[in-house]
Amino acid sequence: MEREWKNWDLKKKVGQLFVFGFHGYEPTKQIKRLIEDSGIGGTIYFSRNVKDAEQVHKLSGELQDIVRKAGQPPLFIAIDQEGGMVARLVDGVTLMPGNMALGAVGLAEGARETARVCGEELRLLGVTMNYAPCIDVNNNPENPVINVRSYSDRSDVVAELGAAAVEGYQAARVAATVKHFPGHGDTAVDSHHALPILLHGRERLEAIELKPFRAAIEAGTDCIMTAHVCLPALDPSGVPSTLSEPVITGLLRKDLGYNGIVVTDCLEMDAIDKHYGPAQGAIQALQAGADLVLISHTFEKQLAALEAVVAAVKSGELAETRIDEALDRIMGLKVKLELDEDLLPWEQVVTRIGTENGKAVAKTWSEASVTLVKNGGQILPLRREESTLVLWPAIVPVSVADEMLAGDGTLGYFLEGLGANVTERQMNSDSPLSDLDSFTQVIVVTYDASKHPIEREVAREAVRLAPERTVVVSVRNPLDLLLFPEVKAYIAVYECRPLALASAAKVLLGDLVPTGKLPLEISAAYPFGWSADIGS
C-alpha cells in the first residue's frame, strides 16, 4: 500500500482526505457509495451507530469488507471514546473514568493505563482512531462544551496527563487525536452552535493553551484535531482556526514542529456550516494545512464537499501538491497502524473485552478520583441503618439515564447494595421536600446546577431545611458548590456513570477513604489541589 497512491487519479486521492459519518447500525447505501465510488479515507461511529460491542465488531468488519471488494485502502474507523461522560460505546466494553476524574487523581499512570485498556478494546472491535484525549485547559467556568472533558484548569496537569493518554492509546495501536487545537477551554460559546472568539495573544497562548499540545507532540501523537475557534491575534482575517493557514501551517506546523495528521472537527457544526458550508469549508481547511476533513452527518453535504475539492484542484484554487502532502501522511499512518490486518473472530474478541482485569483498572482509578470537598459537622460517613433520602436530578443525558435504568443503577441503587436504608426520588417541580422530616439523612445529587434551576432550588431548599442532615454529591460539574456554599458536606465525582456512583456510595458510607483532589479551583476557599479530611 505504501507509496502506491502516487499513481492514483485525482478523485481517489481526494476521497482519502475525508472521514464521513452515517446513520444506522449497518452500512447504508450512502456510505457504501462513498466507499466504492469515492474511496473515502475513514468513517466515524456515533451513538446512532452503536448498539453493543458485538454489533460494532460486525459493523467494522462489514465496512472493511466493502473496502476490500472495492479495491480501496482500508478505512480509518474513528470514534469519540473519551471516557466518563463522552463515550459512544458502553455496552460490552470497559468504560473508563473521564478526564476530570483522572485529573482529580493527578497521576500520569492513571491516564496512560485507562487509555491503553480502552485502546486495546477499541482495536479488537475494529476502531483504529480515537478522537481523544481532549487536552483543552478548563479555565473558563462558563464553558458550555469542555468542562469535565478537560483534566484540569492547570496547563501543566493537562499536558502531563494528555501526553500519558496519547502513549496509552498508541501502545494499543489506536491513533490518538488530541483536541481541540489551539484550545477550546477558555470559551463561553459552543462551536456546535456559534463561532467562539478567543482574544488572547501569542504570549498567553504559550503560557496556557499550547503547553498540552507541545507535550502531546513530544509524546508522538498521531493526530491533532482543530477547533472552530477564531483567534484574531494570530489570524486577523476572522476565520476559525480550522480554516486558518496562520494557525495550522504557521503555528502548528512551523512553530510547534508538528508533522502528523491534522483532522478538522466536524464541518457540519454551526461555526462552519452557517458561515461557510462544509464544501467551501473543506477547500479552505485543506488550503490551511489540514489533512483529514470530518463531515459527520449529511450525505448531500459530504458528496458536495468531495466534488468541491476535486473542482478546486482542477481550477487551481487548491494546489494538488497540498493534496499529495496530506495523502502522504494519511497513507503513512494507515501503514503504521496495519489497517489491512483482519479482525479476530467475535468468539476470540469477546473473551478479551470487558474483562475482570479491565474492570479492575477502571474501578481503581474511579475510586481514587472521589473528592471530599467539605464535611462540616462530620455528616459523613452516613449511617446505614438511618432513613436516607436520595434526590436525583431529572436532567441527565438520555444515554446515561438508559444505562442506569438498564440495571447498573443510580446512587441510591449502590447505597442500597451496600446495606443502606434508602428512598430515592427524582427531582421535579412537585415539592419533593415536603416530607423531609421523615428522613434522618438527605443526599442531593446535582449534575449541572448552574444550567438546571430545579437542581439548585432543591439543593438550596434541602440545605435550608436540613442543614445538619444534607450532603450534596456533584456527579458532573464540581462548580455547583458555588450555588449553595452553605452546604456542610460536599463530594465531587465528575461524572454520573454507574462506576462513579458506586465509588461515591462507598465514600458516603465510609467504606472508602476519599483520596481525590480538586483538579480545578472552585473558589479561594477551595483551590486547585484541595481536599477535606473525612473527619473534618
Side-chain angles (χ1 to χ4, degrees), residues 154-436:
R154 306 300 165 105
S155 58
D156 290 344
V157 173
V158 177
E160 181 183 15
L161 301 189
V166 166
E167 293 167 354
Y169 287 124
Q170 293 184 182
R173 296 191 304 141
V174 168
T177 306
V178 296
K179 58 188 183 184
H180 305 80
F181 184 84
H184 207 318
D186 195 11
T187 63
V189 172
D190 183 349
S191 54
H192 289 84
H193 307 299
L195 177 60
I197 298 174
L198 200 60
L199 297 176
H200 303 312
R202 180 64 182 267
E203 185 176 349
R204 153 59 196 261
L205 292 170
E206 287 286 356
I208 297 179
E209 280 81 6
L210 296 181
K211 276 188 178 181
F213 290 99
R214 286 188 181 277
I217 292 168
E218 187 173 342
T221 187
D222 285 327
C223 304
I224 292 179
M225 177 177 282
T226 61
H228 303 329
V229 174
C230 180
L231 284 145
L234 298 183
D235 188 346
S237 71
V239 302
S241 296
T242 295
L243 312 183
S244 172
E245 185 174 0
V247 172
I248 297 177
T249 298
L251 176 59
L252 181 55
R253 295 284 191 209
K254 294 180 180 177
D255 295 355
L256 272 63
Y258 179 63
N259 196 39
I261 287 178
V262 174
V263 56
T264 73
D265 209 340
C266 178
L267 298 192
E268 287 192 75
M269 292 163 62
D270 284 352
I272 301 294
D273 198 6
K274 285 189 174 180
H275 299 274
Y276 306 90
Q280 183 59 34
I283 295 169
Q284 290 185 233
L286 293 168
Q287 287 173 329
D291 303 302
L292 275 174
V293 175
L294 174 63
I295 304 178
S296 302
H297 306 292
T298 309
F299 172 70
E300 291 77 14
K301 292 180 180 180
Q302 294 166 345
L303 206 57
L306 284 165
E307 293 170 351
V309 171
V310 170
V313 176
K314 288 180 176 179
S315 71
E317 180 184 2
L318 176 61
E320 189 166 358
T321 54
R322 180 75 270 282
I323 303 298
D324 289 345
E325 176 190 12
L327 189 54
D328 197 20
R329 293 190 181 103
I330 290 165
M331 300 307 293
L333 182 57
K334 288 189 173 186
V335 170
K336 173 189 171 185
L337 294 174
E338 299 177 302
L339 297 191
D340 52 357
E341 73 177 19
D342 292 331
L343 280 177
L344 291 175
W346 173 249
E347 292 73 20
Q348 295 180 38
V349 169
V350 71
T351 63
R352 297 168 62 179
I353 60 172
T355 64
E356 291 306 312
N357 179 66
K359 291 175 184 176
V361 169
K363 178 172 174 285
T364 294
W365 298 112
S366 174
E367 290 184 351
S369 73
V370 181
T371 308
L372 178 64
V373 183
K374 298 180 72 174
N375 190 27
Q378 294 187 318
I379 294 175
L380 299 176
L382 300 179
R383 296 169 296 283
R384 283 175 169 78
E385 69 279 4
E386 299 290 346
S387 58
T388 302
L389 174 64
V390 177
L391 292 165
W392 184 262
I395 308 295
V396 295
V398 172
S399 61
V400 177
D402 289 345
E403 182 185 0
M404 292 185 296
L405 294 174
D408 285 322
T410 60
L411 181 59
Y413 169 90
F414 289 110
L415 289 166
E416 194 171 53
L418 294 172
N421 177 15
V422 173
T423 299
E424 188 165 45
R425 296 177 186 163
Q426 195 171 54
M427 298 178 194
N428 55 51
S429 57
D430 299 329
S431 186
L433 303 183
S434 57
D435 62 344
L436 204 60

